[in-house]
Amino acid sequence: MKVTFPYMGTTVVYKKLLEMLGHDVILPPKPTRTTINLGVKYSPEFACFPLKVIMGSYFEAIQKGAEVIVTSGGNGPCRAGFYERVHQRILESEGYDVDFIVFDSMFRDPKTFFRNIKKLRDRTPWIQVMKSLLLIYDMIGKLDNLEKKVQCIRAYEKNRGETSRIWEKIQYDFDQAFSFASMKKAFKLGKEKLNSVPIHHIEEEEQIRIGIVGEIYVVMEDSINMKMEQVLNSLGAEVERSQYLSQWVTYNMLPKWMNWTHENAVLKKGEPYIPILIGGHAKQSVGQIVDYGQRKFDGVVHLMPFGCLPELVSQSIIPKISEDYNIPVLTISLDEQTGIANNQTRIEAFVDLVRGKRKQRLNGKTKLSRNKREHCCSSS
Amino acid sequence: MKIGIPQALLYHYYYPFWKTYFDSLEIETIISSPTNKRIMDQGVKYSVPEMCVPIKVYLGHVLELVDKGADYIFVPRFVSIQKGQFFCPKFMGLPDIIRHSFPEMEPIMISPYIESTTDDLATSIKQYQVFEEKFGISRRDNRKALKNAESVWKSFREYSLRGYDISEAAALSMNDGHKTLKQRKSEVKERFETPEVTIGVLGYVYNIYDSVISLDILNRLKEMGVKVRTFEMIDDDVLKEQLSSIPKTLFWTFSDKLFAAGNHFYHDSEIDGIIHVTAFGCGPDSMLGKLLELDSTKHEKPFMTLRIDEHSGENHLQTRVEAFVDMLKRKKRKVKRGALA
Ligand code: SF4
Ligand code: SF4
């Protein structure tokens, strides 16, 4: 089958999985202006931004020959669970007949999950399927590990753009690896490469860390969030994202009773502000800000698609959390009209503010008590 | 001790229930004024800009109740009234939005979780225990009050199903005097004897029955001699049947009802056209609106979307609605002539 999938974050992962199951993978192009325009043209005006971008990337993938779309049903009761219906209907009305395979959590709806796996498996032997799944899982973990380093080193790189280039290369290496051993090698090599990036030495008190939280798609996909991580890095801030694929997969694959994941801990932290799951990632966003506050991050950037229902609830609550934990938060809502041009100054001003606040805080204390703060650049 | 009830959001669907309940318990209530400019402005001022109008307006109502001296404010947390379905995230997080925006309000908010399996709110006493504690009410009285509330609400729903609009139905169910349902029904028939056109108006109760938010769309239509049908006038079983033929439904109860009502309107030969009244930035509506719009050509029934927000202009709306109604009338006459010829 000629299969495609929505573009989000480190796409090598999905590509690899589908390839290992013996499919012809049509890699959707990384979303560009054209993708977005295409999506906007066909989607409902007030659909969430992710829906529009994904719509656009489906059109592009179909033009490249995709026949089947594999996607996930989204988290919790929000619109994402309905995306596929709208996408399919719109494609249909434009005369495209494509199949959708929608994955929901394995434990929330095991029947569909296995039916989907069966469909996708085709003639691949089960043992091979299992092996592929494990291999992919291993790969996601490794990639996430390296990416965290990237997000930190890039803040101090001497040669602009070097880290990002190396990161691209690393992903390519992983794309070419098909066994545990070669993965391991790619991982080791990647780590070495990153460690050899020449970096500026920056004084402890000048180092700032900013967390990124918000709706999963705009947090994970840098082509639609104005490359937020790189922007912050280039302003000299270390960055950590609230979501990494490995966390997401683990959280969604584990049954409730043994779900001691980071995600669950974060949800707990969100509880005082939003006691129940209200859909999307609102409670995670809120909990994650608390987490960053507790870990003494210097600031948080909150990303949301324009008009995103649950994130509007978090946005309403953020001033309170920001006050409670004394951590500055900048909310940026993204849609087809958002551009870096009209946001760059906001972001710069925010980073300045964060920096100033940090100085203030440190001056207040006589001795630097930052032993607890682990920096990814210095640790292994 | 006075409990304030904001006249916004699901007030329009549950007022007869809540009012009867509190009355039976002899708890005094204050209702905020119908939405007005001040309420709207206050709400807009304290909400994040991207928020949809009905939620902004709700905040305005809450603030007015505080000004009016309410000791408590009733802000229920609507989670679910149907198995496997939920409310729009903004409803589920509503008490959180309010208590974190106005920390001083937290102690006076009464926010029971509304979680049941039917839209009859009397089915789970758990939600009402909070009143026993706060007002020293016995379990027995609580149950009795719920029973009363339930029966009034049921008769309210009954009126809706007979074609009364929400305000009529509320008034009738709450001071139902001597007239029987049957008598009422015959009156309805007389009033709408020969409507030239009938329009299915799709919209949440808190939008279309709030004459400020919706710029009084219902009365405008009535003045043009249009008979209006809305989702709450359709029997739940009919709606459910519509939904059962759809592979995947939305997650949100009222959005699903609208979606089902829209599909029903397409199949109902009495309906000449559909107007979808939606708040600017309403997420759920963007999905169901699009799906219904795509079906419009298939069913050969005109479909119009009216988007409303705090800046909506009356003239513009009036013109569009008039044009739509005229078009429907012309279309109908043509068909009639065609049939005669
Ligand atoms: S969480 Fe936000 S972006 Fe995701 S489906 Fe819901 S409204 Fe859309
Ligand atoms: S359903 Fe739409 S109008 Fe109602 S609260 Fe949610 S977003 Fe607002």
Side-chain angles (χ1 to χ4, degrees), chain A residues 47-51 75 77-83 215-218 279-282 304-311, chain B residues 89 252 283 287:
Chain A
C48 11
F49 189 40
L51 181 139
N75 211 343
C78 202
R79 278 189 274 180
F82 207 63
Y83 276 10
E215 190 275 333
I216 186 163
Y217 189 71
V218 292
H281 292 83
M304 59 182 263
F306 183 88
C308 170
L309 308 161
E311 293 303 337
Chain B
W252 308 291
M287 314 283 266

Side-chain angles (χ1 to χ4, degrees), chain B residues 139-157:
Chain B
R139 175 58 55 93
R140 230 185 101 227
D141 287 345
N142 204 359
R143 275 194 208 286
K144 219 161 84 202
L146 276 180
K147 266 250 130 17
N148 290 342
E150 183 179 31
S151 78
V152 170
W153 186 75
K154 282 200 164 142
S155 102
F156 158 77
R157 288 292 299 132

